[in-house]
Amino acid sequence: MILILKIFVALFAGTGFMLALYIYRTKRNATPLVCPLEGNCEQVVHSDYSKLLGIPVEILGLLYYGIMVVLYVCFAFFPLVLPIFASYAVLGLTITAFLFSVYLTAIQALVLKQWCTWCLFSAGICTIIFILAFLIANAKAVELLSSLL
């Protein structure tokens, strides 16, 4: 069961990576983002909140999702390659990314009062990864406790 969850995390992270890449390429080519749900993607992705410490949010998304793909593929198929603390570091990264996506969604709702469909999809993907990571962590904890008994 844990293996399947790890594979799902890698697949969702791959989807998130492709989404962040789409936003990055569209912005870089100065092509307007098409917002499927009649939002205002352009206003959101070009707002003052589209960068963190001068780094575009889509680059941070590419890094996060890319790291998650690589690590969860390793966790799933090469579990002995990574040190044990890597699981905790990845869980911490997942929590941080989830909280950041909640923050960015709140910015859309409360400050910009505009919605970007692609950003909401990314927040949804981030939420799914967050939930799956906790399910994996809980399953590992139960496995560890049961082996000690």
Side-chain angles (χ1 to χ4, degrees):
M1 181 63 170
I2 294 176
L3 175 63
I4 292 169
L5 293 177
K6 290 175 183 178
I7 292 169
F8 274 129
V9 171
L11 290 172
F12 277 106
T15 303
F17 183 87
M18 296 307 291
L19 180 56
L21 184 62
Y22 167 70
I23 294 170
Y24 171 76
R25 284 186 173 166
T26 304
K27 280 178 68 175
R28 193 181 85 202
N29 294 333
T31 307
L33 270 169
V34 176
C35 216
L37 299 180
E38 297 183 24
N40 194 339
C41 291
E42 281 296 301
Q43 186 173 351
V44 173
V45 299
H46 293 289
S47 75
D48 292 339
Y49 300 96
S50 66
K51 291 184 179 182
L52 178 68
L53 303 173
I55 302 169
V57 172
E58 63 274 10
I59 301 258
L60 295 174
L62 284 167
L63 289 171
Y64 168 68
Y65 289 127
I67 288 168
M68 297 302 283
V69 168
V70 170
L71 290 178
Y72 271 95
V73 165
C74 287
F75 287 150
F77 299 108
F78 312 105
L80 300 177
V81 171
L82 299 171
I84 191 72
F85 73 85
S87 297
Y88 300 112
V90 168
L91 188 58
L93 179 62
T94 300
I95 292 167
T96 302
F98 171 72
L99 292 175
F100 188 59
S101 85
V102 169
Y103 163 76
L104 291 174
T105 303
I107 291 295
Q108 288 182 73
L110 304 173
V111 177
L112 300 174
K113 295 180 177 36
Q114 296 291 329
W115 295 103
C116 170
T117 305
W118 304 115
C119 303
L120 294 176
F121 284 158
S122 181
I125 291 168
C126 200
T127 301
I128 291 168
I129 291 172
F130 173 74
I131 292 167
L132 292 175
F134 266 94
L135 290 173
I136 292 166
N138 286 337
K140 281 185 173 184
V142 168
E143 267 183 27
L144 179 65
L145 289 174
S146 65
S147 71
L148 294 175
L149 298 176

